[in-house]
Amino acid sequence: MKATVKGRYEVNKSATTVATLTTNGGDVRLKASMTDATFVRGPSLNGLALSLEKPGAFILDYHIPTKDVRFQFMNSVRLMEKTVNLTYTHARGDSRTALDGSVAFDPSNKVSVNYAFGTPGACKVKYVYAQGELRHTVLEPCYDVFKNTWDFALTRNFDGGDSLRATYHTTTKNLGLEWSRDSKVNGCFKISAIVNLAEQQKVPKLIAESTWNYEV
């Protein structure tokens, strides 16, 4: 059994913690996740969620307090000698259904499409370009067909597990910068800053996250 603890701190907001327990049963995984709300006033069902997953096939999420169910099914097909990965997602609570498809033309070039049913024109197309054999630099432009807008992301990966990521959303004018480190010994952490360029006072919003993994 594996345990994961994730902490999040945002300036001017209270810190939050999420704990997840994962156990394997053959080719499926059972997960139970809990938040601060589960224990803050004594043990309760608040913030408790269960998940059943078969990697590469399906994920079933059940949020106990709201009785909300989320289904996700994955499959792949061969089309013009390329493998197209498909993911179908349906969230019953907010009646949201989406279909994602992606195809890698080679190790450096990948295109993905997201379409949300029930929302006219809710379609996004993203292109991912990874530079070089080690693919240390990754460029991700994303086009929103309905809004006719672009989002951009640029990631630089370094040896040792460090990475820098910059994002810009043209609709919200939000510019983000993120530094993360993935370590098998000390866990993972991420520090990010987001600033809205449309605001007169461009004060960045700071967020810090840490993740620790344990064998139980």
Side-chain angles (χ1 to χ4, degrees):
M1 180 180 292
K2 295 182 179 180
T4 300
V5 179
K6 183 177 182 178
R8 175 186 171 95
Y9 174 76
E10 185 174 340
V11 176
N12 298 326
K13 291 186 179 181
S14 58
T16 59
T17 304
V18 177
T20 303
L21 296 175
T22 304
T23 181
N24 294 324
D27 56 352
V28 298
R29 300 172 184 168
L30 178 62
K31 296 182 180 180
S33 60
M34 297 148 280
T35 66
D36 308 74
T38 311
F39 303 100
V40 67
R41 295 182 179 177
S44 67
L45 297 179
N46 294 330
L48 182 62
L50 300 176
S51 177
L52 182 66
E53 174 185 357
K54 183 177 181 180
F58 68 84
I59 300 175
L60 172 61
D61 296 323
Y62 179 62
H63 190 256
I64 295 179
T66 60
K67 298 181 180 180
D68 188 15
V69 180
R70 177 177 175 270
F71 303 91
Q72 191 173 78
F73 299 97
M74 292 82 78
N75 204 343
S76 61
V77 296
R78 294 287 294 179
L79 182 64
M80 298 178 64
E81 299 183 354
K82 299 293 182 182
T83 300
V84 180
N85 297 310
L86 300 172
T87 301
Y88 173 84
T89 305
H90 176 71
R92 192 182 67 176
D94 52 7
S95 299
R96 180 173 53 86
T97 303
L99 180 64
D100 294 89
S102 65
V103 57
F105 297 99
D106 53 52
S108 297
N109 296 275
K110 178 181 177 181
V111 173
S112 61
V113 178
N114 170 268
Y115 180 80
F117 295 92
T119 305
C123 179
K124 293 183 179 181
V125 181
K126 182 169 70 172
Y127 169 65
V128 180
Y129 171 70
Q131 185 183 39
E133 294 184 1
L134 299 178
R135 287 172 278 283
H136 283 322
T137 303
V138 181
L139 176 64
E140 301 173 74
C142 180
Y143 177 64
D144 191 313
V145 177
F146 177 66
K147 297 179 180 178
N148 191 27
T149 57
W150 289 87
D151 294 333
F152 300 93
L154 179 64
T155 304
R156 176 64 178 177
N157 299 308
F158 300 91
D159 295 334
D162 290 89
S163 67
L164 286 174
R165 180 178 175 86
T167 58
Y168 180 67
H169 300 276
T170 57
T171 52
T172 60
K173 307 298 182 183
N174 281 337
L175 177 65
L177 184 62
E178 173 188 301
W179 170 41
S180 61
R181 172 175 292 178
D182 190 353
S183 172
K184 295 182 179 180
V185 178
N186 300 318
C188 310
F189 74 84
K190 180 172 65 176
I191 299 175
S192 57
I194 303 173
V195 61
N196 192 320
L197 300 182
E199 296 179 350
Q200 186 174 3
Q201 293 184 342
K202 298 176 176 59
V203 180
K205 180 173 68 175
L206 301 177
I207 303 172
E209 297 179 77
S210 295
T211 304
W212 298 270
N213 298 309
Y214 306 94
E215 291 286 344
V216 181

